[in-house]
Amino acid sequence: MALLEVRGVSKTFGSLKALGGVDVTVQPNTFHGLIGPNGSGKSTLLKAIAGAHFADGGTISFDGMDVTTMLPADRSRRGLSLKFQITAVLLELSVYDNILLAFQAHQPVWGLLRSLSRRNLHPEVMAALARFQLADRADDLAGELSHGQQQWLEIAMALTQKPKLLLLDEPTGGMSPEERRATGDLLVPIKQHCAMIIVEHDLDFIKDICDRLTVLDNGQVLDDGTVAEIEASTKVQEVYTTRV
Amino acid sequence: MAASGTKKPRRVMLILEILILIGLLVVPLVTSDFHTIIATRMLLLAMLAISFDLCWGYSGIMTFGQALFFGVAGYVAALLANKAGYVQIWGIVPICMLVGLVSSFLIGWFLLLGKRTPTIIFVALGTLTASYAAERLVAGWQWVGAGNGMSVWDFMKVGSYELEPGPVFYYVILGFLIVAYIASRWMVRSQLGLVLAGMRQNEERLAFFGYRVQRFKALVFSFSGMIAGLSGGLYAFHEGFIGPGSMGIGLSTYAVLYGLFGGVGTLLGPILGVGAIETIAFILSDIDALKPYWPVILGVIMLIVVAYRPTGIMGLIVTDRERIGSFGYRGGGEPDAGGKDAKEDTDGTA
């Protein structure tokens, strides 16, 4: 059974039709890339899946349940996790507290008030930081990290939720080539545990780590297939050679 | 560096807390009864200001309605004294807290827990409207004294001991202020406080973690209403009077100004704000040449502070880092569990 099924999803902002009946299917434990020119609807689709925007039409089924009108918090509790395009780490909190905040998200209020899990979560927080090479920066404010490190921190935060599907909006945006390579190395092992949809402009990066690609253009699916199929697609070549 | 998420912040806040506590403890010993009564009123207003700080400084709820919960509890206290003849502190205090809690929960339920996420402006106008409507309601309601308000003739009692305004009353109120402060501090420094700190910075981010942000807001709003209710009930007995002005937008706005002047998000700032504003007002109103102008002068001073020092008085004293604090495990032990060695373990399950 597919993990995510997007069927005929549309979204309009005023007179702008951002999505015009998009279909996307994501299987468990696969990395699915969303590519397309600027303004093609990639981020809008990702936000519709995460619940940041509600789709005007169509349906979104996740893990066998219709989540089309579900609030983001409820989608998150069902296993959807999002990393925003613009880094959304909490700049005034320490790196450690950012991760702790993500870890404790589904705990009851009374437990939070009594700080019952603070001690037990400590090793997990440190392990998550170490995994993303941030353990030495745990006490620093998130705002003091480099842009690339903030991106890693946000991915680490998204992973604390143990998601079934991780949505990454431009995870390597603003990174150096070395940081992009390191990010790819950090993401690949995650496939054992969850699926991922990645919106990314760096085609080399996305070809290296994704199993399937969906190409969007003007809010519609231009093509869909394996990386090899998309590379061979004349429709896609035309868009990328004439407009990107 | 041994990373543990618990970098020791400067201890300015703690030192300040101790100094203020010592200062408050000695007030009745070094001043007249008249000034002690004035100081008691400040302590009561400090509780109201703390209730505002919990909303705006910690949870991002801009409320112009804290006086509503203060006033409703004050009227209930007055009615209990005047109509039922009940003045025992053991009953008055929990009843007034409950009244504040329930009334703020109802307002919070209406304003915060709807299908759509409310904007700051919506909540600000909603609380403002509720406060104004309540003020108009009691101002026209004869049973509660209408525009004249209600006098409370009896003193509050502890057993058979009557609590007259003065040093003993002062220490009782100081005790309640300390309890309210410690309870609030415990909350904002707990893991729940971390949620509030995150909410204040980026609500949307927290919603995508699975936090039901509006429920957390409603919770803090209700708790703040409970503190406002406590102060309102005690205020009615201390002043021997409660009127429509005690639940209207005037006092609600003062609660906002106390917080902004002293520095929100600190709990201590609102206490300093009350002390500073009320002291300046007291001094200015006592100078004959300034009597007609003191509200204007006070307004200008507050405007300058709020406009040019958004972090208030506390912003001059403590750093943002100390103000926000850290929430990590403080037990020491093995801060580097999963440290550098764990970098090799990239199985992806954080």
Side-chain angles (χ1 to χ4, degrees), chain B residues 15-43:
Chain B
I15 294 167
L16 206 56
E17 284 172 336
I18 293 168
L19 289 176
I20 290 174
L21 178 60
I22 293 170
L24 292 176
L25 283 170
V26 302
V27 164
L29 307 178
V30 297
T31 59
S32 65
D33 279 4
F34 172 71
H35 287 106
T36 300
I37 289 170
I38 301 288
T40 310
R41 188 180 303 147
M42 290 187 198
L43 297 184

Side-chain angles (χ1 to χ4, degrees), chain A residues 12-75:
Chain A
T12 303
F13 298 103
S15 59
L16 175 70
K17 192 163 196 173
L19 295 174
V22 171
D23 294 340
V24 174
T25 302
V26 177
Q27 300 297 334
N29 303 103
T30 58
F31 283 6
H32 196 111
L34 274 182
I35 60 173
N38 285 332
S40 58
K42 305 182 296 292
S43 292
T44 305
L45 177 59
L46 214 60
K47 286 180 177 172
I49 294 169
H53 299 319
F54 286 119
D56 297 332
T59 60
I60 301 170
S61 297
F62 174 66
D63 203 20
M65 174 169 283
D66 187 345
V67 298
T68 314
T69 57
M70 204 178 266
L71 292 170
D74 296 324
R75 295 187 203 206

Side-chain angles (χ1 to χ4, degrees), chain A residues 1 12 16 37-38 51 65 68 82 88-89 93 96 109 130 149 151 153 165 184 199 231 234:
Chain A
M1 186 179 73
T12 303
L16 175 70
N38 285 332
M65 174 169 283
T68 314
L82 171 69
V89 296
L93 293 179
Y96 184 100
V109 171
Q149 287 173 318
Q151 297 269 42
L153 175 59
L165 177 61
V199 170
E231 280 187 307
T234 51

Side-chain angles (χ1 to χ4, degrees), chain A residues 63-124:
Chain A
D63 203 20
M65 174 169 283
D66 187 345
V67 298
T68 314
T69 57
M70 204 178 266
L71 292 170
D74 296 324
R75 295 187 203 206
S76 168
R77 284 165 182 262
R78 296 197 173 275
L80 262 171
S81 199
L82 171 69
K83 186 208 105 37
F84 287 77
Q85 180 179 9
I86 298 168
T87 315
V89 296
L90 301 156
L91 301 176
E92 293 180 2
L93 293 179
S94 71
V95 173
Y96 184 100
D97 287 339
N98 269 271
I99 296 287
L100 177 61
L101 185 62
F103 262 117
Q104 65 175 37
H106 300 167
Q107 295 184 5
V109 171
W110 182 238
L112 292 174
L113 189 60
R114 296 173 65 198
S115 300
L116 292 177
S117 62
R118 178 148 54 188
R119 180 176 187 156
N120 291 340
L121 286 175
H122 178 67
E124 291 185 66

Side-chain angles (χ1 to χ4, degrees), chain B residues 75 130-142 144 146-147 244 247:
Chain B
Y75 269 98
S131 190
Y132 178 72
E135 182 182 10
R136 300 310 307 160
L137 178 73
V138 294
W141 192 3
Q142 287 299 331
V144 294
M247 67 194 319

Side-chain angles (χ1 to χ4, degrees), chain B residues 4 12 14 20 37-38 50 58 64 79 85-86 88 119 145 153 159 164 183 189 201 218 253 259 273 298 324 343 345:
Chain B
S4 64
V12 177
L14 182 63
I20 290 174
I37 289 170
I38 301 288
I50 285 175
Y58 287 95
F64 278 92
L79 287 169
Y86 187 77
Q88 286 295 329
T119 62
W153 304 112
E164 294 182 45
R189 293 296 180 204
Q201 292 179 50
T253 307
L298 182 64
I324 295 164
K343 282 182 184 175
D345 173 23

Side-chain angles (χ1 to χ4, degrees), chain B residues 89-216:
Chain B
I89 193 170
W90 315 117
I92 294 293
V93 165
I95 288 170
C96 290
M97 289 170 72
L98 187 65
V99 167
L101 178 75
V102 171
S103 54
S104 57
F105 173 75
L106 292 174
I107 299 285
W109 181 50
F110 179 72
L111 293 176
L112 299 168
L113 297 179
K115 178 89 174 165
R116 297 278 175 196
T117 303
T119 62
I120 288 177
I121 297 296
F122 174 78
V123 175
L125 290 178
T127 49
L128 183 81
T129 306
S131 190
Y132 178 72
E135 182 182 10
R136 300 310 307 160
L137 178 73
V138 294
W141 192 3
Q142 287 299 331
W143 192 64
V144 294
N148 295 323
M150 293 177 74
S151 295
V152 183
W153 304 112
D154 296 322
F155 293 120
M156 193 160 55
K157 286 183 179 175
V158 183
S160 59
Y161 181 80
E162 289 189 337
L163 276 174
E164 294 182 45
V168 176
F169 205 126
Y170 175 91
Y171 283 117
V172 169
I173 300 303
L174 180 59
F176 281 118
L177 175 64
I178 291 170
V179 170
Y181 182 87
I182 289 173
S184 302
R185 197 178 191 285
W186 178 59
M187 184 173 78
V188 301
R189 293 296 180 204
S190 69
Q191 284 181 264
L192 178 64
L194 175 58
V195 180
L196 303 183
M199 248 163 55
R200 199 176 50 235
Q201 292 179 50
N202 191 337
E203 276 184 40
E204 190 183 27
R205 174 70 270 185
L206 264 70
F208 282 100
F209 283 146
Y211 286 105
R212 294 185 170 110
V213 172
Q214 298 309 316
R215 291 190 193 177
F216 282 95

